[in-house]
Amino acid sequence: MSERLEDSAAAGGPDDRGDDTLRALESHGFGLAALTDEQRHVLRELSVAELELVLDLKERLDEAGPEVQAHSEIAGGALF
């Protein structure tokens, strides 16, 4: 992922990289439609390393999600 973002940033300007960042976030399940322009601006300015960290955290949370959801459904969330 980082190579693709770095390549597109080199090919275009910072706006292109920001657009790639938003596309990457959306393709990984981040709902950007509800965000304000200011919030999207912050996300557009993420560095490649920051984006990779955010995507890694999202992946790890998604992997843990089904287990947490199962406990919530079975025990009514009493365990959490």
Coordinates of all heavy atoms in Angstrom, one line a residue:
M1 N 0.8 -1.2 0.0 CA 0.0 0.0 0.0 C 0.9 1.2 0.0 O 0.6 2.2 -0.7 CB -0.9 0.0 1.2 CG -1.4 1.3 1.6 SD -3.0 1.8 1.0 CE -4.0 0.6 1.5
S2 N 1.9 1.3 0.8 CA 2.7 2.5 0.9 C 3.4 2.8 -0.4 O 3.5 4.0 -0.7 CB 3.7 2.4 2.1 OG 4.6 1.4 1.8
E3 N 3.8 1.8 -1.1 CA 4.5 2.1 -2.4 C 3.5 2.7 -3.4 O 3.9 3.6 -4.1 CB 5.1 0.7 -2.9 CG 6.2 0.2 -2.2 CD 6.7 -1.1 -2.7 OE1 6.4 -1.4 -3.9 OE2 7.5 -1.8 -2.0
R4 N 2.3 2.2 -3.4 CA 1.3 2.8 -4.3 C 1.0 4.2 -4.0 O 1.0 5.1 -4.8 CB 0.0 2.0 -4.2 CG -1.0 2.4 -5.3 CD -2.3 1.6 -5.2 NE -3.0 1.8 -4.0 CZ -3.8 2.9 -3.7 NH1 -3.9 3.8 -4.6 NH2 -4.4 3.0 -2.6
L5 N 0.9 4.5 -2.7 CA 0.7 5.9 -2.3 C 1.9 6.8 -2.6 O 1.7 7.9 -3.0 CB 0.3 6.0 -0.8 CG -1.1 5.5 -0.4 CD1 -1.3 5.5 1.1 CD2 -2.2 6.3 -1.1
E6 N 3.1 6.3 -2.3 CA 4.3 7.1 -2.6 C 4.4 7.3 -4.1 O 4.8 8.4 -4.5 CB 5.5 6.4 -2.0 CG 5.5 6.4 -0.5 CD 6.6 5.6 0.1 OE1 7.4 4.9 -0.7 OE2 6.7 5.5 1.3
D7 N 4.1 6.3 -4.9 CA 4.2 6.5 -6.3 C 3.2 7.5 -6.8 O 3.6 8.4 -7.7 CB 3.9 5.2 -7.1 CG 5.0 4.1 -6.9 OD1 6.1 4.5 -6.4 OD2 4.8 3.0 -7.1
S8 N 2.0 7.5 -6.3 CA 1.0 8.5 -6.8 C 1.3 9.9 -6.3 O 1.1 10.8 -7.0 CB -0.4 8.1 -6.4 OG -0.5 8.1 -5.0
A9 N 1.9 10.0 -5.1 CA 2.3 11.3 -4.6 C 3.4 11.8 -5.4 O 3.5 13.0 -5.7 CB 2.7 11.2 -3.1
A10 N 4.3 11.0 -5.9 CA 5.4 11.4 -6.7 C 5.0 11.8 -8.1 O 5.5 12.8 -8.7 CB 6.5 10.3 -6.8
A11 N 3.9 11.2 -8.6 CA 3.4 11.5 -9.9 C 2.6 12.7 -9.9 O 2.6 13.4 -10.9 CB 2.6 10.3 -10.4
G12 N 1.9 13.0 -8.9 CA 1.1 14.2 -8.8 C 1.5 15.1 -7.7 O 2.7 15.1 -7.2
G13 N 0.6 16.0 -7.2 CA 1.0 16.8 -6.1 C 0.4 16.3 -4.8 O -0.1 15.2 -4.8
P14 N 0.5 17.1 -3.8 CA 0.0 16.7 -2.5 C -1.5 16.5 -2.5 O -2.0 15.6 -1.8 CB 0.3 17.9 -1.6 CG 1.2 18.8 -2.3 CD 1.1 18.4 -3.7
D15 N -2.3 17.2 -3.4 CA -3.7 16.9 -3.5 C -4.0 15.5 -4.0 O -4.9 14.9 -3.5 CB -4.4 18.0 -4.4 CG -4.5 19.3 -3.8 OD1 -4.3 19.4 -2.5 OD2 -4.6 20.3 -4.5
D16 N -3.2 15.0 -4.9 CA -3.4 13.7 -5.4 C -3.1 12.7 -4.3 O -3.9 11.7 -4.2 CB -2.4 13.4 -6.5 CG -2.7 14.2 -7.8 OD1 -3.8 14.7 -8.0 OD2 -1.8 14.4 -8.6
R17 N -2.1 12.9 -3.5 CA -1.9 12.0 -2.4 C -3.0 12.0 -1.4 O -3.5 11.0 -0.9 CB -0.6 12.3 -1.7 CG -0.2 11.3 -0.6 CD 1.0 11.7 0.2 NE 0.7 13.0 0.8 CZ 0.8 13.2 2.1 NH1 1.3 12.3 2.9 NH2 0.5 14.4 2.6
G18 N -3.5 13.2 -1.1 CA -4.7 13.3 -0.2 C -5.9 12.6 -0.7 O -6.6 11.9 0.0
D19 N -6.1 12.7 -2.0 CA -7.3 12.0 -2.6 C -7.0 10.5 -2.5 O -8.0 9.7 -2.2 CB -7.4 12.4 -4.1 CG -7.9 13.8 -4.3 OD1 -8.5 14.4 -3.3 OD2 -7.8 14.3 -5.4
D20 N -5.8 10.0 -2.7 CA -5.5 8.6 -2.6 C -5.7 8.2 -1.1 O -6.2 7.0 -0.9 CB -4.0 8.3 -3.0 CG -3.8 8.3 -4.5 OD1 -4.8 8.3 -5.2 OD2 -2.6 8.4 -4.9
T21 N -5.4 9.0 -0.2 CA -5.5 8.7 1.2 C -7.0 8.5 1.5 O -7.4 7.5 2.2 CB -5.0 9.8 2.1 OG1 -3.6 9.9 1.9 CG2 -5.2 9.5 3.6
L22 N -7.9 9.4 1.1 CA -9.3 9.3 1.3 C -9.9 8.0 0.6 O -10.7 7.3 1.2 CB -10.0 10.5 0.8 CG -9.8 11.8 1.6 CD1 -10.5 13.0 1.0 CD2 -10.0 11.7 3.0
R23 N -9.4 7.8 -0.6 CA -9.9 6.5 -1.3 C -9.5 5.3 -0.5 O -10.2 4.3 -0.4 CB -9.3 6.5 -2.7 CG -10.2 7.3 -3.7 CD -9.8 7.0 -5.1 NE -8.5 7.5 -5.5 CZ -8.2 8.8 -5.9 NH1 -9.2 9.6 -6.0 NH2 -7.0 9.1 -6.2
A24 N -8.2 5.3 0.0 CA -7.8 4.1 0.7 C -8.6 3.9 2.0 O -9.0 2.8 2.3 CB -6.3 4.3 1.1
L25 N -8.9 5.0 2.7 CA -9.7 4.9 3.9 C -11.1 4.4 3.6 O -11.6 3.5 4.2 CB -9.8 6.3 4.6 CG -8.5 6.8 5.3 CD1 -8.6 8.2 5.6 CD2 -8.2 5.9 6.5
E26 N -11.7 5.0 2.5 CA -13.1 4.5 2.1 C -13.1 3.0 1.7 O -14.0 2.3 2.1 CB -13.6 5.4 1.0 CG -14.2 6.7 1.5 CD -14.9 7.4 0.4 OE1 -14.4 7.6 -0.7 OE2 -16.1 7.8 0.7
S27 N -12.1 2.6 1.0 CA -12.0 1.2 0.5 C -11.8 0.3 1.7 O -12.1 -0.9 1.5 CB -10.9 1.0 -0.5 OG -9.6 1.1 0.0
H28 N -11.3 0.8 2.8 CA -11.2 -0.1 4.0 C -12.3 0.1 5.0 O -12.2 -0.3 6.2 CB -9.8 0.2 4.7 CG -8.7 -0.4 3.9 ND1 -8.1 0.3 2.8 CD2 -8.0 -1.5 4.0 CE1 -7.1 -0.5 2.4 NE2 -7.1 -1.6 3.1
G29 N -13.4 0.7 4.6 CA -14.6 0.7 5.4 C -14.8 2.0 6.2 O -15.7 2.0 7.1
F30 N -14.0 3.0 6.0 CA -14.2 4.2 6.8 C -15.3 5.0 6.1 O -15.2 5.3 4.9 CB -12.9 5.1 6.8 CG -11.9 4.6 7.8 CD1 -11.0 3.6 7.4 CD2 -11.9 5.0 9.1 CE1 -10.0 3.1 8.3 CE2 -10.9 4.5 10.0 CZ -10.0 3.6 9.6
G31 N -16.3 5.4 6.9 CA -17.4 6.2 6.3 C -17.0 7.6 6.4 O -17.1 8.2 7.4
L32 N -16.7 8.2 5.2 CA -16.2 9.6 5.2 C -17.4 10.6 4.9 O -17.2 11.8 5.1 CB -15.1 9.7 4.2 CG -13.9 8.8 4.4 CD1 -12.9 9.1 3.3 CD2 -13.3 9.0 5.7
A33 N -18.5 10.1 4.5 CA -19.6 11.0 4.1 C -20.1 11.8 5.2 O -20.5 13.0 5.0 CB -20.7 10.2 3.5
A34 N -20.1 11.3 6.4 CA -20.6 12.1 7.6 C -19.6 13.0 8.2 O -19.9 13.8 9.1 CB -21.0 11.1 8.6
L35 N -18.3 13.0 7.7 CA -17.3 13.9 8.2 C -17.5 15.3 7.7 O -17.9 15.5 6.6 CB -15.9 13.4 7.9 CG -15.6 12.0 8.4 CD1 -14.2 11.6 8.0 CD2 -15.7 11.9 9.9
T36 N -17.0 16.2 8.5 CA -17.0 17.6 8.1 C -15.8 17.8 7.1 O -14.9 17.0 7.0 CB -16.8 18.6 9.3 OG1 -15.5 18.4 9.8 CG2 -17.8 18.4 10.3
D37 N -15.8 19.0 6.4 CA -14.7 19.3 5.5 C -13.4 19.4 6.3 O -12.4 18.9 5.8 CB -15.0 20.6 4.8 CG -16.1 20.5 3.7 OD1 -16.4 19.4 3.3 OD2 -16.6 21.6 3.4
E38 N -13.5 19.9 7.5 CA -12.3 20.0 8.3 C -11.7 18.7 8.7 O -10.5 18.4 8.7 CB -12.5 20.9 9.6 CG -12.8 22.3 9.3 CD -14.3 22.6 8.9 OE1 -15.2 21.7 8.9 OE2 -14.6 23.7 8.5
Q39 N -12.6 17.7 9.0 CA -12.1 16.4 9.4 C -11.5 15.7 8.1 O -10.5 15.0 8.3 CB -13.3 15.6 9.9 CG -13.8 16.0 11.3 CD -15.0 15.4 11.7 OE1 -16.0 15.2 10.9 NE2 -15.1 15.1 13.0
R40 N -12.2 15.8 7.0 CA -11.6 15.2 5.8 C -10.2 15.9 5.4 O -9.3 15.2 5.0 CB -12.5 15.4 4.6 CG -13.6 14.3 4.6 CD -14.4 14.3 3.3 NE -15.2 15.5 3.1 CZ -16.4 15.8 3.6 NH1 -16.9 14.9 4.4 NH2 -17.0 16.9 3.3
H41 N -10.1 17.2 5.7 CA -8.8 17.8 5.5 C -7.7 17.2 6.3 O -6.6 17.0 5.9 CB -9.0 19.3 5.8 CG -7.7 20.1 5.6 ND1 -7.1 20.4 4.4 CD2 -6.8 20.6 6.5 CE1 -6.0 21.0 4.6 NE2 -5.8 21.2 5.9
V42 N -8.0 16.9 7.6 CA -7.1 16.3 8.5 C -6.7 15.0 7.9 O -5.5 14.6 7.9 CB -7.6 16.2 9.9 CG1 -6.8 15.3 10.8 CG2 -7.8 17.6 10.6
L43 N -7.6 14.2 7.5 CA -7.3 12.8 7.0 C -6.5 12.9 5.7 O -5.6 12.1 5.5 CB -8.6 12.1 6.7 CG -9.4 11.7 8.0 CD1 -10.7 11.0 7.6 CD2 -8.6 10.8 8.9
R44 N -6.8 13.9 4.8 CA -6.1 14.1 3.6 C -4.6 14.3 3.8 O -3.7 14.0 3.0 CB -6.6 15.2 2.8 CG -7.9 14.9 2.1 CD -8.4 16.1 1.3 NE -7.4 16.3 0.3 CZ -7.7 16.6 -0.9 NH1 -8.9 16.6 -1.3 NH2 -6.7 16.7 -1.8
E45 N -4.3 14.9 5.0 CA -2.9 15.3 5.3 C -2.1 14.2 6.0 O -1.0 14.4 6.4 CB -2.9 16.6 6.1 CG -3.3 17.8 5.2 CD -3.1 19.1 5.9 OE1 -2.9 19.2 7.1 OE2 -3.1 20.1 5.2
L46 N -2.7 13.0 6.2 CA -2.0 12.0 6.9 C -0.8 11.6 6.1 O -0.8 11.5 4.8 CB -2.9 10.7 7.0 CG -4.1 10.8 8.0 CD1 -4.9 9.5 7.9 CD2 -3.6 11.1 9.4
S47 N 0.3 11.3 6.8 CA 1.5 10.8 6.1 C 1.2 9.3 5.7 O 0.3 8.7 6.2 CB 2.7 10.9 7.0 OG 2.6 10.0 8.0
V48 N 2.1 8.8 4.9 CA 1.9 7.4 4.5 C 2.0 6.5 5.7 O 1.2 5.6 5.9 CB 3.0 7.0 3.4 CG1 3.0 5.5 3.2 CG2 2.8 7.8 2.1
A49 N 3.0 6.8 6.6 CA 3.1 6.0 7.8 C 1.9 6.1 8.7 O 1.4 5.1 9.3 CB 4.3 6.5 8.6
E50 N 1.3 7.3 8.8 CA 0.1 7.5 9.6 C -1.1 6.7 9.0 O -1.9 6.1 9.7 CB -0.3 9.0 9.7 CG 0.7 9.8 10.6 CD 0.5 11.3 10.5 OE1 0.1 11.8 9.4 OE2 0.7 11.9 11.5
L51 N -1.2 6.8 7.7 CA -2.3 6.0 7.0 C -2.1 4.5 7.2 O -3.1 3.9 7.6 CB -2.3 6.4 5.5 CG -3.3 5.6 4.7 CD1 -4.7 5.8 5.2 CD2 -3.2 5.9 3.2
E52 N -0.9 4.0 7.1 CA -0.7 2.6 7.3 C -1.1 2.2 8.8 O -1.7 1.2 9.0 CB 0.8 2.2 7.0 CG 1.1 2.3 5.5 CD 2.5 2.0 5.2 OE1 3.4 2.1 6.2 OE2 2.8 1.7 4.1
L53 N -0.7 3.1 9.7 CA -1.1 2.8 11.1 C -2.6 2.8 11.3 O -3.1 1.8 11.9 CB -0.5 3.9 12.0 CG -0.8 3.7 13.5 CD1 -0.4 2.4 14.1 CD2 -0.3 4.9 14.3
V54 N -3.3 3.8 10.8 CA -4.8 3.8 10.9 C -5.4 2.6 10.2 O -6.3 1.9 10.8 CB -5.3 5.1 10.2 CG1 -6.8 5.0 10.1 CG2 -4.9 6.3 11.1
L55 N -4.9 2.2 9.1 CA -5.5 1.0 8.4 C -5.2 -0.3 9.2 O -6.0 -1.2 9.2 CB -5.0 0.9 6.9 CG -5.4 2.1 6.0 CD1 -4.8 1.9 4.6 CD2 -6.9 2.2 6.0
D56 N -4.0 -0.4 9.7 CA -3.6 -1.5 10.5 C -4.5 -1.6 11.8 O -5.0 -2.7 12.1 CB -2.2 -1.5 10.9 CG -1.7 -2.7 11.8 OD1 -1.9 -3.8 11.3 OD2 -1.3 -2.5 12.9
L57 N -4.7 -0.5 12.4 CA -5.6 -0.5 13.6 C -7.0 -0.9 13.2 O -7.7 -1.7 14.0 CB -5.6 0.9 14.3 CG -4.3 1.3 15.0 CD1 -4.3 2.7 15.4 CD2 -4.1 0.4 16.2
K58 N -7.5 -0.4 12.1 CA -8.9 -0.7 11.7 C -9.0 -2.2 11.4 O -10.0 -2.8 11.8 CB -9.2 0.1 10.4 CG -10.5 -0.4 9.7 CD -11.7 0.4 10.1 CE -12.9 0.3 9.3 NZ -13.5 -1.0 9.3
E59 N -8.0 -2.8 10.8 CA -8.0 -4.2 10.5 C -8.0 -5.0 11.8 O -8.8 -6.0 11.9 CB -6.8 -4.6 9.6 CG -6.7 -6.0 9.3 CD -5.5 -6.4 8.4 OE1 -5.0 -5.5 7.7 OE2 -5.0 -7.5 8.5
R60 N -7.2 -4.6 12.7 CA -7.2 -5.3 14.0 C -8.5 -5.2 14.8 O -8.9 -6.2 15.4 CB -6.0 -4.9 14.8 CG -4.7 -5.3 14.2 CD -3.4 -4.6 14.7 NE -3.2 -4.5 16.1 CZ -2.3 -3.7 16.7 NH1 -1.5 -3.0 15.9 NH2 -2.2 -3.7 18.0
L61 N -9.1 -4.0 14.7 CA -10.4 -3.8 15.4 C -11.5 -4.7 14.7 O -12.3 -5.3 15.4 CB -10.8 -2.4 15.4 CG -10.0 -1.5 16.3 CD1 -10.3 0.0 16.1 CD2 -10.2 -1.8 17.8
D62 N -11.4 -4.7 13.4 CA -12.4 -5.5 12.6 C -12.2 -7.0 12.9 O -13.2 -7.7 13.0 CB -12.2 -5.3 11.1 CG -12.8 -3.9 10.7 OD1 -13.4 -3.2 11.5 OD2 -12.5 -3.5 9.5
E63 N -11.0 -7.5 13.1 CA -10.8 -8.9 13.4 C -11.3 -9.2 14.8 O -11.8 -10.3 15.0 CB -9.3 -9.2 13.3 CG -8.7 -9.2 11.9 CD -7.2 -9.3 11.9 OE1 -6.6 -9.4 12.9 OE2 -6.7 -9.4 10.7
A64 N -11.2 -8.3 15.7 CA -11.6 -8.5 17.1 C -13.2 -8.3 17.2 O -13.8 -8.8 18.1 CB -11.0 -7.5 18.1
G65 N -13.7 -7.6 16.2 CA -15.1 -7.3 16.3 C -16.1 -8.4 16.4 O -17.0 -8.4 17.3
P66 N -16.0 -9.5 15.6 CA -16.9 -10.6 15.7 C -16.9 -11.2 17.1 O -18.0 -11.6 17.6 CB -16.5 -11.6 14.7 CG -15.8 -10.7 13.7 CD -15.1 -9.6 14.5
E67 N -15.7 -11.3 17.7 CA -15.7 -11.9 19.1 C -16.4 -11.0 20.1 O -17.2 -11.5 20.9 CB -14.2 -12.1 19.5 CG -14.1 -12.8 20.8 CD -12.6 -13.0 21.2 OE1 -11.8 -13.1 20.3 OE2 -12.4 -13.0 22.4
V68 N -16.1 -9.8 20.0 CA -16.8 -8.8 20.9 C -18.3 -8.8 20.7 O -19.1 -8.8 21.6 CB -16.2 -7.4 20.8 CG1 -16.9 -6.4 21.6 CG2 -14.7 -7.4 21.2
Q69 N -18.7 -8.8 19.4 CA -20.1 -8.8 19.1 C -20.8 -10.1 19.6 O -21.9 -10.0 20.1 CB -20.3 -8.6 17.6 CG -19.9 -7.3 17.1 CD -19.9 -7.2 15.6 OE1 -19.9 -8.2 14.9 NE2 -19.8 -6.0 15.1
A70 N -20.1 -11.2 19.5 CA -20.7 -12.5 20.0 C -20.9 -12.4 21.5 O -22.0 -12.8 22.0 CB -19.8 -13.6 19.6
H71 N -20.0 -11.9 22.2 CA -20.1 -11.8 23.7 C -21.3 -10.9 24.0 O -22.1 -11.1 24.9 CB -18.8 -11.3 24.3 CG -17.7 -12.3 24.4 ND1 -17.8 -13.4 25.1 CD2 -16.5 -12.3 23.8 CE1 -16.7 -14.1 24.9 NE2 -15.9 -13.4 24.2
S72 N -21.4 -9.8 23.3 CA -22.4 -8.8 23.5 C -23.8 -9.4 23.2 O -24.7 -9.2 24.0 CB -22.2 -7.6 22.6 OG -23.3 -6.7 22.7
E73 N -23.9 -10.2 22.2 CA -25.2 -10.8 21.8 C -25.6 -11.9 22.8 O -26.7 -12.0 23.2 CB -25.2 -11.3 20.4 CG -25.1 -10.2 19.4 CD -24.8 -10.7 18.0 OE1 -24.8 -11.9 17.7 OE2 -24.5 -9.8 17.1
I74 N -24.6 -12.7 23.2 CA -24.9 -13.8 24.1 C -25.1 -13.4 25.5 O -26.1 -13.8 26.2 CB -23.7 -14.9 24.0 CG1 -23.7 -15.5 22.6 CG2 -23.9 -15.9 25.1 CD1 -22.5 -16.3 22.4
A75 N -24.2 -12.5 26.0 CA -24.3 -12.1 27.4 C -24.9 -10.7 27.6 O -24.9 -10.1 28.7 CB -22.9 -12.1 28.0
G76 N -25.4 -10.1 26.6 CA -26.0 -8.8 26.7 C -25.0 -7.7 27.0 O -25.3 -6.7 27.6
G77 N -23.7 -8.0 26.7 CA -22.7 -7.0 26.9 C -22.3 -7.0 28.4 O -21.5 -6.1 28.8
A78 N -22.7 -7.9 29.2 CA -22.4 -7.9 30.6 C -20.9 -8.2 30.9 O -20.4 -7.8 31.9 CB -23.2 -9.0 31.3
L79 N -20.2 -8.8 29.9 CA -18.8 -9.0 30.1 C -17.9 -7.8 29.8 O -16.8 -7.8 30.2 CB -18.4 -10.2 29.2 CG -19.1 -11.5 29.5 CD1 -18.7 -12.5 28.5 CD2 -18.8 -12.0 30.9
F80 N -18.5 -6.8 29.2 CA -17.7 -5.7 28.8 C -18.1 -4.4 29.5 O -18.9 -3.7 29.4 CB -17.7 -5.5 27.3 CG -17.1 -6.7 26.6 CD1 -17.9 -7.7 26.1 CD2 -15.7 -6.8 26.5 CE1 -17.3 -8.8 25.5 CE2 -15.2 -7.9 25.9 CZ -16.0 -8.9 25.4

